[in-house]
Amino acid sequence: MQVSVQEISALSLFANPCVGAENLSTALTKVVHLAMEKGVMSDPQTKILTIFHDSFRDTPANKVRMSACISTSKVLEAPFLDPITVNAATCIIGDFEIGIHEFSSSWASLYGWMNANGYRPSGQDPFEIYHNDYQSHPEKKCLVSMYIPIFPKD
């Protein structure tokens, strides 16, 4: 895990909301397929991400609200997409190369780092940005950056 604290700019996104961990894969697949259809996946500025509106710690997995999102310079239209903005923020960013079943423990370690270093979450939704298709990785690993918006230290 590589951790940094950085200011991020606002992100303009198109979101496909879903409820329940079991529905996230389908929501992400719809976003990726639309992006491929519209030819934006080859743009290096295009990013696929998930925003977590609820915590798995406090909410049953089948009730967690999430948004499967795409950040792209083009306008995408589809009945399942909503335009949303992630506001500029100071974030703890953890960069990981992990297996598909290591997301929970990676989030736990990043929140542990936050607590150990005296930071507090700002209340803005955490999110993760995916940097690869884990199916094409030789070890089926995900290259992912996890973001926790925080209050700056005094």
Side-chain angles (χ1 to χ4, degrees):
M1 165 175 79
Q2 290 187 300
V3 180
S4 62
V5 177
Q6 297 178 31
E7 297 286 326
I8 64 160
S9 301
L11 299 172
S12 296
L13 308 171
F14 297 97
N16 181 14
C18 68
V19 176
E22 69 278 7
N23 295 313
L24 180 58
S25 178
T26 300
L28 283 166
T29 298
K30 282 177 81 171
V31 169
V32 170
H33 283 191
L34 177 67
M36 290 170 64
E37 201 176 279
K38 301 293 185 183
V40 299
M41 286 304 289
S42 59
D43 180 350
Q45 299 303 314
T46 297
K47 303 287 183 209
I48 302 296
L49 55 153
T50 299
I51 300 172
F52 299 93
H53 307 294
D54 297 312
S55 169
F56 282 93
R57 188 188 58 204
D58 304 326
T59 308
N62 66 337
K63 304 249 190 238
V64 171
R65 296 171 302 126
M66 298 164 280
S67 291
C69 303
I70 184 167
S71 171
T72 180
S73 57
K74 295 189 178 177
V75 174
L76 296 179
E77 293 182 4
F80 59 87
L81 287 181
D82 298 322
I84 65 169
T85 300
V86 170
N87 294 325
T90 301
C91 291
I92 294 172
I93 304 169
D95 294 315
F96 296 87
E97 182 175 358
I98 55 176
I100 197 75
H101 299 290
E102 297 176 285
F103 276 78
S104 179
S105 62
S106 297
W107 275 110
S109 68
L110 193 58
Y111 273 96
W113 187 96
M114 178 190 73
N115 293 330
N117 287 277
Y119 291 100
R120 294 179 303 125
S122 69
Q124 189 173 325
D125 294 335
F127 59 96
E128 51 197 30
I129 297 179
Y130 311 110
H131 302 290
N132 72 325
D133 172 5
Y134 80 94
Q135 294 286 1
S136 62
H137 189 282
E139 298 175 49
K140 303 287 190 231
K141 298 274 186 172
C142 302
L143 304 178
V144 61
S145 296
M146 297 176 172
Y147 290 71
I148 303 172
I150 55 169
F151 289 115
K153 280 187 171 180
D154 296 332

